[in-house]
PDB file of all heavy atoms in Angstrom:
ATOM      1  N   TYR A  33      85.730  47.014 238.780  1.00 95.00           N
ATOM      2  CA  TYR A  33      86.734  46.005 238.737  1.00 95.00           C
ATOM      3  C   TYR A  33      87.121  45.611 237.234  1.00 95.00           C
ATOM      4  O   TYR A  33      86.183  45.750 236.356  1.00 95.00           O
ATOM      5  CB  TYR A  33      86.218  44.712 239.280  1.00 95.00           C
ATOM      6  CG  TYR A  33      85.525  44.816 240.655  1.00 95.00           C
ATOM      7  CD1 TYR A  33      84.266  45.336 240.846  1.00 95.00           C
ATOM      8  CD2 TYR A  33      86.231  44.359 241.830  1.00 95.00           C
ATOM      9  CE1 TYR A  33      83.682  45.388 242.007  1.00 95.00           C
ATOM     10  CE2 TYR A  33      85.569  44.456 243.040  1.00 95.00           C
ATOM     11  CZ  TYR A  33      84.362  44.958 243.131  1.00 95.00           C
ATOM     12  OH  TYR A  33      83.736  45.062 244.389  1.00 95.00           O
ATOM     13  N   GLN A  37      89.753  36.946 231.623  1.00 97.00           N
ATOM     14  CA  GLN A  37      89.291  35.506 231.593  1.00 97.00           C
ATOM     15  C   GLN A  37      89.767  34.774 230.351  1.00 97.00           C
ATOM     16  O   GLN A  37      89.478  35.262 229.215  1.00 97.00           O
ATOM     17  CB  GLN A  37      87.787  35.466 231.656  1.00 97.00           C
ATOM     18  CG  GLN A  37      87.232  34.032 231.749  1.00 97.00           C
ATOM     19  CD  GLN A  37      85.753  33.946 231.853  1.00 97.00           C
ATOM     20  OE1 GLN A  37      85.010  34.827 231.301  1.00 97.00           O
ATOM     21  NE2 GLN A  37      85.173  32.967 232.455  1.00 97.00           N
ATOM     22  N   PRO A  42      88.137  30.449 235.115  1.00 96.00           N
ATOM     23  CA  PRO A  42      87.365  31.488 235.824  1.00 96.00           C
ATOM     24  C   PRO A  42      87.963  32.834 235.648  1.00 96.00           C
ATOM     25  O   PRO A  42      89.099  32.975 235.238  1.00 96.00           O
ATOM     26  CB  PRO A  42      87.426  31.048 237.390  1.00 96.00           C
ATOM     27  CG  PRO A  42      88.673  30.286 237.435  1.00 96.00           C
ATOM     28  CD  PRO A  42      88.816  29.527 236.045  1.00 96.00           C
ATOM     29  N   GLU A  58      96.476  43.513 241.198  1.00 93.00           N
ATOM     30  CA  GLU A  58      96.994  42.154 241.406  1.00 93.00           C
ATOM     31  C   GLU A  58      98.256  41.887 240.661  1.00 93.00           C
ATOM     32  O   GLU A  58      98.267  40.932 239.861  1.00 93.00           O
ATOM     33  CB  GLU A  58      95.870  41.188 241.058  1.00 93.00           C
ATOM     34  CG  GLU A  58      94.708  41.178 241.940  1.00 93.00           C
ATOM     35  CD  GLU A  58      94.941  40.553 243.333  1.00 93.00           C
ATOM     36  OE1 GLU A  58      94.781  39.341 243.465  1.00 93.00           O
ATOM     37  OE2 GLU A  58      95.326  41.371 244.256  1.00 93.00           O
ATOM     38  N   TYR A 103      76.721  43.466 248.382  1.00 75.00           N
ATOM     39  CA  TYR A 103      78.136  43.177 247.929  1.00 75.00           C
ATOM     40  C   TYR A 103      78.354  42.647 246.612  1.00 75.00           C
ATOM     41  O   TYR A 103      79.390  42.403 246.127  1.00 75.00           O
ATOM     42  CB  TYR A 103      78.790  42.372 248.985  1.00 75.00           C
ATOM     43  CG  TYR A 103      79.154  43.069 250.302  1.00 75.00           C
ATOM     44  CD1 TYR A 103      78.369  42.930 251.381  1.00 75.00           C
ATOM     45  CD2 TYR A 103      80.374  43.859 250.425  1.00 75.00           C
ATOM     46  CE1 TYR A 103      78.680  43.548 252.610  1.00 75.00           C
ATOM     47  CE2 TYR A 103      80.650  44.492 251.605  1.00 75.00           C
ATOM     48  CZ  TYR A 103      79.842  44.388 252.630  1.00 75.00           C
ATOM     49  OH  TYR A 103      80.182  44.990 253.835  1.00 75.00           O
ATOM     50  N   GLU A 104      77.158  42.152 245.950  1.00 87.00           N
ATOM     51  CA  GLU A 104      77.437  41.326 244.764  1.00 87.00           C
ATOM     52  C   GLU A 104      77.962  42.141 243.635  1.00 87.00           C
ATOM     53  O   GLU A 104      77.717  43.367 243.563  1.00 87.00           O
ATOM     54  CB  GLU A 104      76.144  40.687 244.409  1.00 87.00           C
ATOM     55  CG  GLU A 104      74.994  41.655 244.055  1.00 87.00           C
ATOM     56  CD  GLU A 104      74.091  41.914 245.241  1.00 87.00           C
ATOM     57  OE1 GLU A 104      74.603  41.889 246.371  1.00 87.00           O
ATOM     58  OE2 GLU A 104      72.844  42.235 245.004  1.00 87.00           O
ATOM     59  N   GLN A 105      78.741  41.590 242.790  1.00 91.00           N
ATOM     60  CA  GLN A 105      79.297  42.203 241.634  1.00 91.00           C
ATOM     61  C   GLN A 105      78.445  41.900 240.420  1.00 91.00           C
ATOM     62  O   GLN A 105      78.097  40.844 240.237  1.00 91.00           O
ATOM     63  CB  GLN A 105      80.742  41.750 241.395  1.00 91.00           C
ATOM     64  CG  GLN A 105      81.706  42.064 242.563  1.00 91.00           C
ATOM     65  CD  GLN A 105      83.112  41.690 242.356  1.00 91.00           C
ATOM     66  OE1 GLN A 105      83.537  41.466 241.157  1.00 91.00           O
ATOM     67  NE2 GLN A 105      83.889  41.622 243.385  1.00 91.00           N
ATOM     68  N   PHE A 107      78.482  42.063 236.344  1.00 95.00           N
ATOM     69  CA  PHE A 107      79.441  42.011 235.312  1.00 95.00           C
ATOM     70  C   PHE A 107      78.963  42.578 233.934  1.00 95.00           C
ATOM     71  O   PHE A 107      77.691  42.384 233.671  1.00 95.00           O
ATOM     72  CB  PHE A 107      79.946  40.508 235.063  1.00 95.00           C
ATOM     73  CG  PHE A 107      80.853  40.065 236.082  1.00 95.00           C
ATOM     74  CD1 PHE A 107      80.371  39.651 237.320  1.00 95.00           C
ATOM     75  CD2 PHE A 107      82.230  39.992 235.832  1.00 95.00           C
ATOM     76  CE1 PHE A 107      81.276  39.158 238.299  1.00 95.00           C
ATOM     77  CE2 PHE A 107      83.004  39.577 236.874  1.00 95.00           C
ATOM     78  CZ  PHE A 107      82.640  39.090 238.017  1.00 95.00           C
ATOM     79  N   GLY A 108      79.756  43.159 233.176  1.00 96.00           N
ATOM     80  CA  GLY A 108      79.456  43.492 231.832  1.00 96.00           C
ATOM     81  C   GLY A 108      79.609  42.256 230.851  1.00 96.00           C
ATOM     82  O   GLY A 108      80.114  41.210 231.341  1.00 96.00           O
TER      83      GLY A 108
ATOM     84  N   TYR B  32      80.888  35.157 252.254  1.00 89.00           N
ATOM     85  CA  TYR B  32      79.782  35.500 251.423  1.00 89.00           C
ATOM     86  C   TYR B  32      79.823  34.544 250.145  1.00 89.00           C
ATOM     87  O   TYR B  32      80.949  34.439 249.661  1.00 89.00           O
ATOM     88  CB  TYR B  32      79.699  36.941 251.021  1.00 89.00           C
ATOM     89  CG  TYR B  32      79.417  37.897 252.133  1.00 89.00           C
ATOM     90  CD1 TYR B  32      79.340  39.265 252.015  1.00 89.00           C
ATOM     91  CD2 TYR B  32      78.985  37.438 253.432  1.00 89.00           C
ATOM     92  CE1 TYR B  32      79.066  40.110 253.068  1.00 89.00           C
ATOM     93  CE2 TYR B  32      78.653  38.235 254.426  1.00 89.00           C
ATOM     94  CZ  TYR B  32      78.762  39.587 254.264  1.00 89.00           C
ATOM     95  OH  TYR B  32      78.404  40.485 255.268  1.00 89.00           O
ATOM     96  N   TYR B  36      77.351  32.290 239.943  1.00 98.00           N
ATOM     97  CA  TYR B  36      77.200  32.985 238.602  1.00 98.00           C
ATOM     98  C   TYR B  36      77.050  32.069 237.410  1.00 98.00           C
ATOM     99  O   TYR B  36      77.668  30.957 237.530  1.00 98.00           O
ATOM    100  CB  TYR B  36      78.442  33.873 238.373  1.00 98.00           C
ATOM    101  CG  TYR B  36      78.528  35.101 239.191  1.00 98.00           C
ATOM    102  CD1 TYR B  36      79.218  35.165 240.399  1.00 98.00           C
ATOM    103  CD2 TYR B  36      78.064  36.304 238.743  1.00 98.00           C
ATOM    104  CE1 TYR B  36      79.359  36.251 241.249  1.00 98.00           C
ATOM    105  CE2 TYR B  36      78.077  37.497 239.535  1.00 98.00           C
ATOM    106  CZ  TYR B  36      78.810  37.444 240.758  1.00 98.00           C
ATOM    107  OH  TYR B  36      78.943  38.541 241.501  1.00 98.00           O
ATOM    108  N   GLN B  38      77.510  31.791 233.112  1.00 97.00           N
ATOM    109  CA  GLN B  38      78.173  32.438 231.991  1.00 97.00           C
ATOM    110  C   GLN B  38      77.803  31.639 230.702  1.00 97.00           C
ATOM    111  O   GLN B  38      78.209  30.527 230.567  1.00 97.00           O
ATOM    112  CB  GLN B  38      79.632  32.628 232.027  1.00 97.00           C
ATOM    113  CG  GLN B  38      80.306  33.432 231.010  1.00 97.00           C
ATOM    114  CD  GLN B  38      81.795  33.552 231.220  1.00 97.00           C
ATOM    115  OE1 GLN B  38      82.486  32.713 231.810  1.00 97.00           O
ATOM    116  NE2 GLN B  38      82.326  34.732 230.785  1.00 97.00           N
ATOM    117  N   GLY B  43      79.211  37.760 229.487  1.00 92.00           N
ATOM    118  CA  GLY B  43      79.652  38.067 230.861  1.00 92.00           C
ATOM    119  C   GLY B  43      78.998  37.172 231.832  1.00 92.00           C
ATOM    120  O   GLY B  43      78.211  36.293 231.540  1.00 92.00           O
ATOM    121  N   LYS B  49      72.905  34.715 245.928  1.00 93.00           N
ATOM    122  CA  LYS B  49      73.873  34.988 246.835  1.00 93.00           C
ATOM    123  C   LYS B  49      73.438  34.579 248.223  1.00 93.00           C
ATOM    124  O   LYS B  49      72.276  34.497 248.503  1.00 93.00           O
ATOM    125  CB  LYS B  49      74.106  36.545 246.844  1.00 93.00           C
ATOM    126  CG  LYS B  49      72.856  37.351 247.259  1.00 93.00           C
ATOM    127  CD  LYS B  49      73.056  38.861 247.046  1.00 93.00           C
ATOM    128  CE  LYS B  49      71.768  39.514 247.523  1.00 93.00           C
ATOM    129  NZ  LYS B  49      71.835  40.968 247.202  1.00 93.00           N
ATOM    130  N   LEU B  97      82.694  41.700 254.404  1.00 65.00           N
ATOM    131  CA  LEU B  97      83.142  43.046 254.509  1.00 65.00           C
ATOM    132  C   LEU B  97      84.257  43.417 253.502  1.00 65.00           C
ATOM    133  O   LEU B  97      84.718  44.499 253.485  1.00 65.00           O
ATOM    134  CB  LEU B  97      83.523  43.457 255.942  1.00 65.00           C
ATOM    135  CG  LEU B  97      82.538  43.266 256.959  1.00 65.00           C
ATOM    136  CD1 LEU B  97      83.047  43.706 258.366  1.00 65.00           C
ATOM    137  CD2 LEU B  97      81.234  44.024 256.601  1.00 65.00           C
ATOM    138  N   VAL B  99      84.208  41.745 250.079  1.00 58.00           N
ATOM    139  CA  VAL B  99      84.006  40.852 248.893  1.00 58.00           C
ATOM    140  C   VAL B  99      84.538  41.400 247.539  1.00 58.00           C
ATOM    141  O   VAL B  99      84.137  40.984 246.545  1.00 58.00           O
ATOM    142  CB  VAL B  99      82.599  40.475 248.867  1.00 58.00           C
ATOM    143  CG1 VAL B  99      82.178  39.482 249.939  1.00 58.00           C
ATOM    144  CG2 VAL B  99      81.683  41.621 248.863  1.00 58.00           C
ATOM    145  N   LYS B 101      87.292  41.031 246.860  1.00 82.00           N
ATOM    146  CA  LYS B 101      88.326  40.049 246.418  1.00 82.00           C
ATOM    147  C   LYS B 101      87.585  38.769 246.403  1.00 82.00           C
ATOM    148  O   LYS B 101      87.700  37.850 247.285  1.00 82.00           O
ATOM    149  CB  LYS B 101      89.443  39.986 247.434  1.00 82.00           C
ATOM    150  CG  LYS B 101      90.369  41.167 247.363  1.00 82.00           C
ATOM    151  CD  LYS B 101      91.550  40.860 246.459  1.00 82.00           C
ATOM    152  CE  LYS B 101      92.626  39.952 247.097  1.00 82.00           C
ATOM    153  NZ  LYS B 101      93.802  39.818 246.180  1.00 82.00           N
ATOM    154  N   GLY B 105      85.566  29.366 241.795  1.00 96.00           N
ATOM    155  CA  GLY B 105      85.939  28.013 241.539  1.00 96.00           C
ATOM    156  C   GLY B 105      86.206  27.858 240.065  1.00 96.00           C
ATOM    157  O   GLY B 105      86.070  28.821 239.342  1.00 96.00           O
TER     158      GLY B 105
END
Side-chain angles (χ1 to χ4, degrees):
Chain A
Y33 311 76
Q37 187 180 28
E58 292 287 274
Y103 283 102
E104 60 268 32
Q105 294 183 24
F107 285 80
Chain B
Y32 289 176
Y36 285 89
Q38 184 176 33
K49 63 189 180 187
L97 303 181
V99 286
K101 286 268 281 186

